[in-house]
Amino acid sequence: MTKPPERPRYAALTGLGSHVPPRTVTNDDLAELLATTDEWITTRTGIKTRHWAEPGTATSDLALEAAARALRSARLPAEPGTVDAVILATTTPDQPCPATAPQIAARLGLGHCAAYDIAAVCSGFLYALAAAAGQIAAGQARRILVIGAETYSTILNPGDRTTAVIFGDGAGAVVLEATADRDQPGVLRAFDLGSDGTHYELITVPAGGSRQRTTPGEPNPDSHYFAMDGRQVFTQAVTRMADSCRTVLDRLGWPVEQVDHLVGHQANLRILTALARDLGIPLQRAAVHLDRVGNTSAASIPLALDDAHRRGALTPGDTVLLTAFGGGLTWGSAALLWPSVSPP
Ligand code: COA
């Protein structure tokens, strides 16, 4: 008796694209507005410039560009039926209600596909990848557009030097397609996701939700801004990402020496350095993009991937380990063999 063909149940990356708004903000630009210096920002974070959207530009505007490029890179038309779902990871949706993903799907001309947002702050893209891979594994979708996009400039407190110098705006997107071949390059091989809500207060935008509504004449206008306990976050970020990476490597049976590229959340160069050291991965194998874009939260991983891809740093067949950490607290990791991806 012949075996029935295996149901495609692995999710493979087949397209990649990114976009940042044109306006560049240098450390010296910020030093004119805040009590800070290029020297402090560079030595404490590794960031030299970031992109901030012009007023009036929303997260969906950046997401749209990145998503269109990812579709072109996967050689797919932006038309109804192309994808079964659009998933947007973001901390800065166009508005609290409705989700932003349906608008992106409509503006791209993707028809009536499923579309939803995921909120896991800087880990959002890893959570979105896992959700997409799960939908594909369950046979609910054959092709999914996964986007990470942010306009942090809209929630930064312009008077807070501890956060305003760190974050930037941008978007990155990938196309995932179903395959029956687990060994196909691009297949997301293993995931690890986690959270620790006991530390939810370390990264917050206090107002605008059900606990503290947005009302005109708010007594504390700063409560609408992003706030972070940087020092606490620093320690948690290194420990959580390192443990999460080890979990993924254990699940795959990959020794750490086998990792060709560590694409970690672009929070801070010192965090990336400490992470690489903790894992025993040479720093030269860690993707560094934050010097030019800052911390772009949920957009950070696809932006760093696209930057490495455009620079020709990723060779098909290379092992790639993705890891992120963010507010919640949340963290997540995944691994894949780099596929042959076309430029958009
Ligand atoms: N310019 C100049 N001085 C600054 C400054 C700035 N932009 N921001 C903070 N400082 C000052 C502080 O006020 C403090 O001064 P004090 O000693 O007089 O009180 C001093 O610098 C040291 O502050 P500290 O917060 O201890 O610095 P740090 O070495 O921990 O670096 C961060 C601060 C935010 C860069 C660092 O903690 C960090 O990167 N944390 C992780 C943040 C992150 O990536 N979050 C997102 C993860 S998802």
Side-chain angles (χ1 to χ4, degrees):
M1 211 171 78
T2 52
K3 232 173 99 189
E6 201 184 331
R7 184 163 60 100
R9 59 193 195 99
Y10 300 107
L13 189 156
T14 59
L16 173 67
S18 70
H19 173 70
V20 288
R23 180 177 156 217
T24 301
V25 179
T26 66
N27 292 346
D28 286 333
D29 293 335
L30 292 173
E32 285 178 19
L33 308 169
L34 294 159
T36 191
T37 59
D38 172 47
E39 201 263 334
W40 192 96
I41 302 169
T42 304
T43 53
R44 299 288 179 124
T45 71
I47 298 165
K48 297 298 282 184
T49 62
R50 72 287 289 143
H51 294 261
W52 282 358
E54 295 294 343
T57 299
T59 293
S60 63
D61 301 323
L62 305 184
L64 202 70
E65 279 294 328
R69 287 177 190 189
L71 287 171
R72 283 203 294 277
S73 150
R75 304 273 184 261
L76 291 170
E79 63 186 28
T82 293
V83 299
D84 302 305
V86 173
I87 308 177
L88 171 70
T90 189
T91 321
T92 48
D94 285 14
Q95 56 277 309
C97 173
T100 304
Q103 193 197 130
I104 296 168
R107 286 169 66 187
L108 281 168
L110 295 174
H112 297 165
C113 62
Y116 58 97
D117 292 3
I118 282 190
V121 198
C122 300
S123 314
F125 189 74
L126 261 301
Y127 270 68
L129 278 184
Q135 270 185 261
I136 287 172
Q140 293 170 1
R142 294 185 61 89
R143 212 181 265 145
I144 300 185
L145 183 57
V146 182
I147 311 164
E150 302 280 14
T151 44
Y152 259 62
S153 60
T154 62
I155 58 167
L156 290 175
N157 182 342
D160 179 3
R161 66 179 181 173
T162 68
T163 53
V165 303
I166 291 177
F167 293 89
D169 301 341
V174 299
V175 174
L176 298 185
E177 298 194 48
T179 174
D181 179 6
R182 185 182 182 274
D183 297 325
Q184 179 182 318
V187 165
L188 291 159
R189 297 294 194 90
F191 282 98
D192 173 65
L193 300 179
S195 76
D196 180 1
T198 62
H199 293 298
Y200 83 92
E201 80 292 349
L202 294 183
I203 294 176
T204 56
V205 177
S210 57
R211 191 163 296 287
Q212 191 179 341
R213 299 298 312 167
T214 305
T215 46
E218 183 68 47
N220 177 9
D222 284 358
S223 61
H224 299 283
Y225 288 128
F226 179 91
M228 172 177 75
D229 180 337
R231 201 175 277 187
Q232 291 284 337
V233 167
F234 194 111
T235 319
Q236 288 277 345
V238 176
T239 313
R240 298 304 188 182
M241 284 195 284
D243 286 349
S244 182
C245 284
R246 277 189 279 269
T247 300
V248 162
L249 294 177
D250 283 353
R251 280 181 187 156
L252 288 167
W254 288 4
V256 73
E257 299 76 38
Q258 206 175 310
V259 176
D260 296 315
H261 305 277
L262 173 65
V263 183
H265 172 45
Q266 303 288 302
N268 179 314
L269 188 57
R270 286 154 63 215
I271 290 179
L272 286 177
T273 306
L275 172 66
R277 191 185 312 121
D278 190 319
L279 288 169
I281 294 175
L283 188 59
Q284 306 86 273
R285 293 195 198 164
V288 177
H289 187 220
L290 56 83
D291 51 330
R292 288 154 286 153
V293 295
N295 180 343
T296 56
S297 193
S300 148
I301 297 281
L303 271 169
L305 263 184
D306 198 35
D307 174 64
H309 178 237
R310 284 171 197 235
R311 286 188 293 102
L314 303 170
T315 304
D318 282 358
T319 52
V320 179
L321 180 59
L322 312 176
T323 187
F325 171 87
L329 301 174
T330 54
W331 55 87
S333 304
L336 69 157
L337 297 183
W338 191 248
S340 177
V341 179
S342 312

